[in-house]
Amino acid sequence: MPGQSVVHNWAHVLAEILEPEENPAGVIYGTIATGALLAAEASRRETLEEAAASVALTLALFWLAHGYAHSLGERLGSGEGWSLGRLVSSLRHEVAILRGSVIPLVVLLLARAAGASTSGAVGAALISAAVLLFVLELIAGVRSRQSARGVMIQVLIGAVLALGILALKVVLH
């Protein structure tokens, strides 16, 4: 069926952009964290720019914390001493967290540049995070070659998490 081929190819291209070879879970974590932070921070900051900076700084700290934890965990397991090379390797592994934040933050800033209100820009960014989770679940489902029902179940799981991010904004405002 020609339509399925186009969807499969589109999903593959998007997966290559979003999914690093190592630590694809970091992209998902970064997307979820960005959505949750935007939902929380946008209600606490005076300007959208302050909220975006706060989210970016928090995500950078998450990235550093995950890199440090990964490095320390490896050292605890191996009994080896600290090394800059190991820390850099761990930070490289965890940079996927930052990749997961890119799309929602870019949507946030583009919406603002296009004239959206703070609430509208945050809403657009949250929707982009939700859609991204949905798309990543769809990609996983297509790759697994499950039945349509199996793919639908996977996508619904991602949709529930995406709705949770959107609900956080509603609850906090």
PDB file of all heavy atoms in Angstrom, residues 25-41 54-56 58-60 62-63 66 97-98 100-101 104-105 126 129 133 161 165 168:
ATOM      1  N   ALA A  25      16.452   6.932  25.177  1.00  0.00           N
ATOM      2  CA  ALA A  25      15.598   7.240  26.327  1.00  0.00           C
ATOM      3  C   ALA A  25      15.843   8.661  26.817  1.00  0.00           C
ATOM      4  O   ALA A  25      14.933   9.308  27.339  1.00  0.00           O
ATOM      5  CB  ALA A  25      15.850   6.237  27.452  1.00  0.00           C
ATOM      6  N   GLY A  26      17.052   9.160  26.652  1.00  0.00           N
ATOM      7  CA  GLY A  26      17.360  10.530  27.063  1.00  0.00           C
ATOM      8  C   GLY A  26      16.541  11.556  26.302  1.00  0.00           C
ATOM      9  O   GLY A  26      16.128  12.578  26.856  1.00  0.00           O
ATOM     10  N   VAL A  27      16.301  11.301  25.009  1.00  0.00           N
ATOM     11  CA  VAL A  27      15.467  12.211  24.211  1.00  0.00           C
ATOM     12  C   VAL A  27      14.055  12.246  24.789  1.00  0.00           C
ATOM     13  O   VAL A  27      13.460  13.316  24.943  1.00  0.00           O
ATOM     14  CB  VAL A  27      15.441  11.791  22.722  1.00  0.00           C
ATOM     15  CG1 VAL A  27      14.425  12.600  21.935  1.00  0.00           C
ATOM     16  CG2 VAL A  27      16.821  11.936  22.106  1.00  0.00           C
ATOM     17  N   ILE A  28      13.540  11.085  25.114  1.00  0.00           N
ATOM     18  CA  ILE A  28      12.190  11.007  25.674  1.00  0.00           C
ATOM     19  C   ILE A  28      12.138  11.714  27.025  1.00  0.00           C
ATOM     20  O   ILE A  28      11.243  12.519  27.285  1.00  0.00           O
ATOM     21  CB  ILE A  28      11.753   9.533  25.794  1.00  0.00           C
ATOM     22  CG1 ILE A  28      11.720   8.896  24.399  1.00  0.00           C
ATOM     23  CG2 ILE A  28      10.419   9.406  26.492  1.00  0.00           C
ATOM     24  CD1 ILE A  28      11.819   7.398  24.394  1.00  0.00           C
ATOM     25  N   TYR A  29      13.121  11.458  27.855  1.00  0.00           N
ATOM     26  CA  TYR A  29      13.191  12.114  29.157  1.00  0.00           C
ATOM     27  C   TYR A  29      13.278  13.638  28.988  1.00  0.00           C
ATOM     28  O   TYR A  29      12.590  14.384  29.687  1.00  0.00           O
ATOM     29  CB  TYR A  29      14.402  11.595  29.944  1.00  0.00           C
ATOM     30  CG  TYR A  29      14.561  12.255  31.282  1.00  0.00           C
ATOM     31  CD1 TYR A  29      13.808  11.838  32.371  1.00  0.00           C
ATOM     32  CD2 TYR A  29      15.452  13.306  31.459  1.00  0.00           C
ATOM     33  CE1 TYR A  29      13.937  12.445  33.601  1.00  0.00           C
ATOM     34  CE2 TYR A  29      15.591  13.918  32.682  1.00  0.00           C
ATOM     35  CZ  TYR A  29      14.830  13.491  33.752  1.00  0.00           C
ATOM     36  OH  TYR A  29      14.959  14.102  34.963  1.00  0.00           O
ATOM     37  N   GLY A  30      14.109  14.092  28.071  1.00  0.00           N
ATOM     38  CA  GLY A  30      14.249  15.528  27.833  1.00  0.00           C
ATOM     39  C   GLY A  30      12.956  16.166  27.359  1.00  0.00           C
ATOM     40  O   GLY A  30      12.613  17.283  27.760  1.00  0.00           O
ATOM     41  N   THR A  31      12.222  15.465  26.529  1.00  0.00           N
ATOM     42  CA  THR A  31      10.934  15.973  26.045  1.00  0.00           C
ATOM     43  C   THR A  31       9.929  16.078  27.187  1.00  0.00           C
ATOM     44  O   THR A  31       9.250  17.101  27.346  1.00  0.00           O
ATOM     45  CB  THR A  31      10.378  15.053  24.934  1.00  0.00           C
ATOM     46  OG1 THR A  31      11.327  14.994  23.865  1.00  0.00           O
ATOM     47  CG2 THR A  31       9.050  15.559  24.411  1.00  0.00           C
ATOM     48  N   ILE A  32       9.842  15.036  27.984  1.00  0.00           N
ATOM     49  CA  ILE A  32       8.901  15.042  29.109  1.00  0.00           C
ATOM     50  C   ILE A  32       9.289  16.119  30.117  1.00  0.00           C
ATOM     51  O   ILE A  32       8.436  16.882  30.588  1.00  0.00           O
ATOM     52  CB  ILE A  32       8.853  13.650  29.780  1.00  0.00           C
ATOM     53  CG1 ILE A  32       8.260  12.625  28.820  1.00  0.00           C
ATOM     54  CG2 ILE A  32       8.055  13.702  31.088  1.00  0.00           C
ATOM     55  CD1 ILE A  32       8.464  11.189  29.256  1.00  0.00           C
ATOM     56  N   ALA A  33      10.571  16.186  30.447  1.00  0.00           N
ATOM     57  CA  ALA A  33      11.033  17.186  31.418  1.00  0.00           C
ATOM     58  C   ALA A  33      10.780  18.595  30.906  1.00  0.00           C
ATOM     59  O   ALA A  33      10.352  19.474  31.670  1.00  0.00           O
ATOM     60  CB  ALA A  33      12.518  16.984  31.712  1.00  0.00           C
ATOM     61  N   THR A  34      11.018  18.837  29.623  1.00  0.00           N
ATOM     62  CA  THR A  34      10.787  20.166  29.063  1.00  0.00           C
ATOM     63  C   THR A  34       9.315  20.534  29.158  1.00  0.00           C
ATOM     64  O   THR A  34       8.975  21.648  29.566  1.00  0.00           O
ATOM     65  CB  THR A  34      11.248  20.226  27.590  1.00  0.00           C
ATOM     66  OG1 THR A  34      12.634  19.906  27.545  1.00  0.00           O
ATOM     67  CG2 THR A  34      11.028  21.605  26.991  1.00  0.00           C
ATOM     68  N   GLY A  35       8.443  19.614  28.791  1.00  0.00           N
ATOM     69  CA  GLY A  35       7.012  19.893  28.886  1.00  0.00           C
ATOM     70  C   GLY A  35       6.587  20.186  30.311  1.00  0.00           C
ATOM     71  O   GLY A  35       5.881  21.168  30.580  1.00  0.00           O
ATOM     72  N   ALA A  36       7.033  19.366  31.252  1.00  0.00           N
ATOM     73  CA  ALA A  36       6.660  19.570  32.652  1.00  0.00           C
ATOM     74  C   ALA A  36       7.222  20.881  33.188  1.00  0.00           C
ATOM     75  O   ALA A  36       6.526  21.634  33.893  1.00  0.00           O
ATOM     76  CB  ALA A  36       7.142  18.399  33.501  1.00  0.00           C
ATOM     77  N   LEU A  37       8.460  21.178  32.853  1.00  0.00           N
ATOM     78  CA  LEU A  37       9.068  22.429  33.323  1.00  0.00           C
ATOM     79  C   LEU A  37       8.386  23.650  32.720  1.00  0.00           C
ATOM     80  O   LEU A  37       8.163  24.647  33.417  1.00  0.00           O
ATOM     81  CB  LEU A  37      10.564  22.447  32.999  1.00  0.00           C
ATOM     82  CG  LEU A  37      11.425  21.522  33.838  1.00  0.00           C
ATOM     83  CD1 LEU A  37      12.810  21.372  33.210  1.00  0.00           C
ATOM     84  CD2 LEU A  37      11.535  22.041  35.265  1.00  0.00           C
ATOM     85  N   LEU A  38       8.058  23.578  31.444  1.00  0.00           N
ATOM     86  CA  LEU A  38       7.352  24.703  30.813  1.00  0.00           C
ATOM     87  C   LEU A  38       5.990  24.914  31.452  1.00  0.00           C
ATOM     88  O   LEU A  38       5.590  26.057  31.705  1.00  0.00           O
ATOM     89  CB  LEU A  38       7.196  24.480  29.310  1.00  0.00           C
ATOM     90  CG  LEU A  38       8.402  24.806  28.463  1.00  0.00           C
ATOM     91  CD1 LEU A  38       8.183  24.331  27.029  1.00  0.00           C
ATOM     92  CD2 LEU A  38       8.713  26.290  28.495  1.00  0.00           C
ATOM     93  N   ALA A  39       5.302  23.832  31.710  1.00  0.00           N
ATOM     94  CA  ALA A  39       3.980  23.937  32.337  1.00  0.00           C
ATOM     95  C   ALA A  39       4.093  24.596  33.707  1.00  0.00           C
ATOM     96  O   ALA A  39       3.265  25.432  34.080  1.00  0.00           O
ATOM     97  CB  ALA A  39       3.342  22.560  32.463  1.00  0.00           C
ATOM     98  N   ALA A  40       5.133  24.255  34.448  1.00  0.00           N
ATOM     99  CA  ALA A  40       5.308  24.799  35.793  1.00  0.00           C
ATOM    100  C   ALA A  40       5.922  26.196  35.777  1.00  0.00           C
ATOM    101  O   ALA A  40       5.436  27.105  36.462  1.00  0.00           O
ATOM    102  CB  ALA A  40       6.187  23.862  36.615  1.00  0.00           C
ATOM    103  N   GLU A  41       6.969  26.392  35.004  1.00  0.00           N
ATOM    104  CA  GLU A  41       7.707  27.647  35.033  1.00  0.00           C
ATOM    105  C   GLU A  41       6.973  28.809  34.379  1.00  0.00           C
ATOM    106  O   GLU A  41       7.111  29.939  34.814  1.00  0.00           O
ATOM    107  CB  GLU A  41       9.077  27.480  34.365  1.00  0.00           C
ATOM    108  CG  GLU A  41      10.082  26.794  35.236  1.00  0.00           C
ATOM    109  CD  GLU A  41      10.362  27.550  36.520  1.00  0.00           C
ATOM    110  OE1 GLU A  41      10.617  28.760  36.489  1.00  0.00           O
ATOM    111  OE2 GLU A  41      10.317  26.912  37.581  1.00  0.00           O
ATOM    112  N   SER A  54      14.841  29.716  32.328  1.00  0.00           N
ATOM    113  CA  SER A  54      14.775  28.865  33.515  1.00  0.00           C
ATOM    114  C   SER A  54      14.685  27.389  33.116  1.00  0.00           C
ATOM    115  O   SER A  54      15.359  26.535  33.703  1.00  0.00           O
ATOM    116  CB  SER A  54      13.568  29.262  34.369  1.00  0.00           C
ATOM    117  OG  SER A  54      13.437  28.408  35.461  1.00  0.00           O
ATOM    118  N   VAL A  55      13.868  27.092  32.125  1.00  0.00           N
ATOM    119  CA  VAL A  55      13.736  25.709  31.647  1.00  0.00           C
ATOM    120  C   VAL A  55      15.058  25.234  31.055  1.00  0.00           C
ATOM    121  O   VAL A  55      15.519  24.123  31.359  1.00  0.00           O
ATOM    122  CB  VAL A  55      12.586  25.596  30.620  1.00  0.00           C
ATOM    123  CG1 VAL A  55      12.619  24.256  29.903  1.00  0.00           C
ATOM    124  CG2 VAL A  55      11.243  25.810  31.308  1.00  0.00           C
ATOM    125  N   ALA A  56      15.689  26.061  30.232  1.00  0.00           N
ATOM    126  CA  ALA A  56      16.962  25.674  29.610  1.00  0.00           C
ATOM    127  C   ALA A  56      18.033  25.437  30.672  1.00  0.00           C
ATOM    128  O   ALA A  56      18.784  24.451  30.596  1.00  0.00           O
ATOM    129  CB  ALA A  56      17.409  26.743  28.619  1.00  0.00           C
ATOM    130  N   THR A  58      17.552  24.613  33.860  1.00  0.00           N
ATOM    131  CA  THR A  58      17.186  23.408  34.605  1.00  0.00           C
ATOM    132  C   THR A  58      17.535  22.161  33.809  1.00  0.00           C
ATOM    133  O   THR A  58      18.065  21.186  34.360  1.00  0.00           O
ATOM    134  CB  THR A  58      15.689  23.427  34.967  1.00  0.00           C
ATOM    135  OG1 THR A  58      15.418  24.612  35.717  1.00  0.00           O
ATOM    136  CG2 THR A  58      15.297  22.207  35.766  1.00  0.00           C
ATOM    137  N   LEU A  59      17.262  22.173  32.514  1.00  0.00           N
ATOM    138  CA  LEU A  59      17.598  21.010  31.680  1.00  0.00           C
ATOM    139  C   LEU A  59      19.104  20.807  31.593  1.00  0.00           C
ATOM    140  O   LEU A  59      19.579  19.666  31.579  1.00  0.00           O
ATOM    141  CB  LEU A  59      16.985  21.154  30.295  1.00  0.00           C
ATOM    142  CG  LEU A  59      15.487  20.871  30.287  1.00  0.00           C
ATOM    143  CD1 LEU A  59      14.868  21.353  28.990  1.00  0.00           C
ATOM    144  CD2 LEU A  59      15.217  19.399  30.491  1.00  0.00           C
ATOM    145  N   ALA A  60      19.855  21.899  31.523  1.00  0.00           N
ATOM    146  CA  ALA A  60      21.317  21.768  31.523  1.00  0.00           C
ATOM    147  C   ALA A  60      21.789  21.127  32.828  1.00  0.00           C
ATOM    148  O   ALA A  60      22.682  20.266  32.816  1.00  0.00           O
ATOM    149  CB  ALA A  60      21.967  23.136  31.319  1.00  0.00           C
ATOM    150  N   PHE A  62      19.943  19.101  34.690  1.00  0.00           N
ATOM    151  CA  PHE A  62      19.534  17.690  34.587  1.00  0.00           C
ATOM    152  C   PHE A  62      20.575  16.904  33.794  1.00  0.00           C
ATOM    153  O   PHE A  62      20.947  15.796  34.166  1.00  0.00           O
ATOM    154  CB  PHE A  62      18.182  17.552  33.884  1.00  0.00           C
ATOM    155  CG  PHE A  62      16.974  17.835  34.725  1.00  0.00           C
ATOM    156  CD1 PHE A  62      15.721  17.821  34.144  1.00  0.00           C
ATOM    157  CD2 PHE A  62      17.052  18.122  36.072  1.00  0.00           C
ATOM    158  CE1 PHE A  62      14.580  18.070  34.888  1.00  0.00           C
ATOM    159  CE2 PHE A  62      15.925  18.376  36.830  1.00  0.00           C
ATOM    160  CZ  PHE A  62      14.683  18.349  36.233  1.00  0.00           C
ATOM    161  N   TRP A  63      21.017  17.479  32.677  1.00  0.00           N
ATOM    162  CA  TRP A  63      22.002  16.824  31.822  1.00  0.00           C
ATOM    163  C   TRP A  63      23.301  16.578  32.600  1.00  0.00           C
ATOM    164  O   TRP A  63      23.846  15.471  32.588  1.00  0.00           O
ATOM    165  CB  TRP A  63      22.253  17.667  30.576  1.00  0.00           C
ATOM    166  CG  TRP A  63      23.473  17.277  29.801  1.00  0.00           C
ATOM    167  CD1 TRP A  63      23.701  16.079  29.185  1.00  0.00           C
ATOM    168  CD2 TRP A  63      24.624  18.079  29.577  1.00  0.00           C
ATOM    169  NE1 TRP A  63      24.931  16.094  28.576  1.00  0.00           N
ATOM    170  CE2 TRP A  63      25.515  17.312  28.799  1.00  0.00           C
ATOM    171  CE3 TRP A  63      24.981  19.367  29.924  1.00  0.00           C
ATOM    172  CZ2 TRP A  63      26.749  17.797  28.390  1.00  0.00           C
ATOM    173  CZ3 TRP A  63      26.202  19.861  29.510  1.00  0.00           C
ATOM    174  CH2 TRP A  63      27.075  19.073  28.759  1.00  0.00           C
ATOM    175  N   HIS A  66      22.695  13.895  35.247  1.00  0.00           N
ATOM    176  CA  HIS A  66      22.630  12.548  34.676  1.00  0.00           C
ATOM    177  C   HIS A  66      24.008  12.080  34.231  1.00  0.00           C
ATOM    178  O   HIS A  66      24.365  10.912  34.419  1.00  0.00           O
ATOM    179  CB  HIS A  66      21.646  12.505  33.504  1.00  0.00           C
ATOM    180  CG  HIS A  66      20.237  12.320  33.924  1.00  0.00           C
ATOM    181  ND1 HIS A  66      19.600  11.100  33.876  1.00  0.00           N
ATOM    182  CD2 HIS A  66      19.328  13.187  34.427  1.00  0.00           C
ATOM    183  CE1 HIS A  66      18.375  11.232  34.323  1.00  0.00           C
ATOM    184  NE2 HIS A  66      18.186  12.489  34.670  1.00  0.00           N
ATOM    185  N   ILE A  97      19.302  14.096  26.499  1.00  0.00           N
ATOM    186  CA  ILE A  97      18.318  14.854  27.281  1.00  0.00           C
ATOM    187  C   ILE A  97      18.124  16.232  26.670  1.00  0.00           C
ATOM    188  O   ILE A  97      16.993  16.714  26.542  1.00  0.00           O
ATOM    189  CB  ILE A  97      18.758  14.956  28.754  1.00  0.00           C
ATOM    190  CG1 ILE A  97      18.694  13.584  29.416  1.00  0.00           C
ATOM    191  CG2 ILE A  97      17.926  15.981  29.520  1.00  0.00           C
ATOM    192  CD1 ILE A  97      19.349  13.522  30.781  1.00  0.00           C
ATOM    193  N   LEU A  98      19.219  16.861  26.286  1.00  0.00           N
ATOM    194  CA  LEU A  98      19.125  18.192  25.674  1.00  0.00           C
ATOM    195  C   LEU A  98      18.483  18.114  24.293  1.00  0.00           C
ATOM    196  O   LEU A  98      17.728  19.015  23.908  1.00  0.00           O
ATOM    197  CB  LEU A  98      20.510  18.843  25.592  1.00  0.00           C
ATOM    198  CG  LEU A  98      21.205  19.062  26.939  1.00  0.00           C
ATOM    199  CD1 LEU A  98      22.590  19.663  26.728  1.00  0.00           C
ATOM    200  CD2 LEU A  98      20.363  19.929  27.852  1.00  0.00           C
ATOM    201  N   GLY A 100      16.136  16.177  23.410  1.00  0.00           N
ATOM    202  CA  GLY A 100      14.693  16.059  23.622  1.00  0.00           C
ATOM    203  C   GLY A 100      14.024  17.377  23.945  1.00  0.00           C
ATOM    204  O   GLY A 100      12.816  17.530  23.778  1.00  0.00           O
ATOM    205  N   SER A 101      14.800  18.347  24.384  1.00  0.00           N
ATOM    206  CA  SER A 101      14.223  19.650  24.729  1.00  0.00           C
ATOM    207  C   SER A 101      14.184  20.612  23.550  1.00  0.00           C
ATOM    208  O   SER A 101      13.493  21.628  23.607  1.00  0.00           O
ATOM    209  CB  SER A 101      15.025  20.289  25.869  1.00  0.00           C
ATOM    210  OG  SER A 101      16.295  20.728  25.406  1.00  0.00           O
ATOM    211  N   PRO A 104      10.433  21.385  21.633  1.00  0.00           N
ATOM    212  CA  PRO A 104       9.508  22.244  22.388  1.00  0.00           C
ATOM    213  C   PRO A 104      10.051  23.665  22.623  1.00  0.00           C
ATOM    214  O   PRO A 104       9.295  24.643  22.534  1.00  0.00           O
ATOM    215  CB  PRO A 104       9.319  21.504  23.713  1.00  0.00           C
ATOM    216  CG  PRO A 104       9.645  20.089  23.408  1.00  0.00           C
ATOM    217  CD  PRO A 104      10.701  20.129  22.357  1.00  0.00           C
ATOM    218  N   LEU A 105      11.347  23.803  22.903  1.00  0.00           N
ATOM    219  CA  LEU A 105      11.897  25.145  23.134  1.00  0.00           C
ATOM    220  C   LEU A 105      11.927  25.971  21.847  1.00  0.00           C
ATOM    221  O   LEU A 105      11.640  27.169  21.876  1.00  0.00           O
ATOM    222  CB  LEU A 105      13.289  25.056  23.758  1.00  0.00           C
ATOM    223  CG  LEU A 105      13.317  24.623  25.216  1.00  0.00           C
ATOM    224  CD1 LEU A 105      14.758  24.484  25.715  1.00  0.00           C
ATOM    225  CD2 LEU A 105      12.533  25.584  26.101  1.00  0.00           C
ATOM    226  N   LEU A 126       3.947  23.032  24.578  1.00  0.00           N
ATOM    227  CA  LEU A 126       3.445  21.836  25.253  1.00  0.00           C
ATOM    228  C   LEU A 126       2.803  20.872  24.260  1.00  0.00           C
ATOM    229  O   LEU A 126       2.983  19.656  24.359  1.00  0.00           O
ATOM    230  CB  LEU A 126       2.450  22.216  26.345  1.00  0.00           C
ATOM    231  CG  LEU A 126       3.037  22.946  27.552  1.00  0.00           C
ATOM    232  CD1 LEU A 126       1.939  23.337  28.521  1.00  0.00           C
ATOM    233  CD2 LEU A 126       4.088  22.110  28.233  1.00  0.00           C
ATOM    234  N   ALA A 129       5.542  19.064  22.502  1.00  0.00           N
ATOM    235  CA  ALA A 129       6.105  17.986  23.328  1.00  0.00           C
ATOM    236  C   ALA A 129       5.164  16.780  23.324  1.00  0.00           C
ATOM    237  O   ALA A 129       5.616  15.636  23.203  1.00  0.00           O
ATOM    238  CB  ALA A 129       6.343  18.473  24.756  1.00  0.00           C
ATOM    239  N   LEU A 133       5.991  13.014  21.772  1.00  0.00           N
ATOM    240  CA  LEU A 133       5.848  11.729  22.473  1.00  0.00           C
ATOM    241  C   LEU A 133       4.971  10.772  21.676  1.00  0.00           C
ATOM    242  O   LEU A 133       5.273   9.581  21.556  1.00  0.00           O
ATOM    243  CB  LEU A 133       5.267  11.947  23.866  1.00  0.00           C
ATOM    244  CG  LEU A 133       6.178  12.654  24.858  1.00  0.00           C
ATOM    245  CD1 LEU A 133       5.421  12.949  26.141  1.00  0.00           C
ATOM    246  CD2 LEU A 133       7.419  11.832  25.134  1.00  0.00           C
ATOM    247  N   LEU A 161       0.691   9.864  28.663  1.00  0.00           N
ATOM    248  CA  LEU A 161       1.768  10.668  29.241  1.00  0.00           C
ATOM    249  C   LEU A 161       1.721  12.096  28.694  1.00  0.00           C
ATOM    250  O   LEU A 161       1.894  13.066  29.446  1.00  0.00           O
ATOM    251  CB  LEU A 161       3.121  10.031  28.961  1.00  0.00           C
ATOM    252  CG  LEU A 161       4.308  10.637  29.678  1.00  0.00           C
ATOM    253  CD1 LEU A 161       4.087  10.700  31.188  1.00  0.00           C
ATOM    254  CD2 LEU A 161       5.554   9.840  29.395  1.00  0.00           C
ATOM    255  N   ILE A 165       1.180  15.836  30.741  1.00  0.00           N
ATOM    256  CA  ILE A 165       1.933  17.098  30.640  1.00  0.00           C
ATOM    257  C   ILE A 165       0.970  18.251  30.439  1.00  0.00           C
ATOM    258  O   ILE A 165       1.082  19.302  31.094  1.00  0.00           O
ATOM    259  CB  ILE A 165       2.957  17.038  29.485  1.00  0.00           C
ATOM    260  CG1 ILE A 165       4.064  16.040  29.821  1.00  0.00           C
ATOM    261  CG2 ILE A 165       3.546  18.416  29.209  1.00  0.00           C
ATOM    262  CD1 ILE A 165       4.984  15.735  28.656  1.00  0.00           C
ATOM    263  N   LEU A 168      -0.894  19.086  33.588  1.00  0.00           N
ATOM    264  CA  LEU A 168      -0.073  19.806  34.550  1.00  0.00           C
ATOM    265  C   LEU A 168      -0.229  21.309  34.378  1.00  0.00           C
ATOM    266  O   LEU A 168      -0.360  22.050  35.349  1.00  0.00           O
ATOM    267  CB  LEU A 168       1.403  19.391  34.399  1.00  0.00           C
ATOM    268  CG  LEU A 168       2.391  19.997  35.373  1.00  0.00           C
ATOM    269  CD1 LEU A 168       2.042  19.618  36.805  1.00  0.00           C
ATOM    270  CD2 LEU A 168       3.802  19.532  35.029  1.00  0.00           C
TER     271      LEU A 168
END
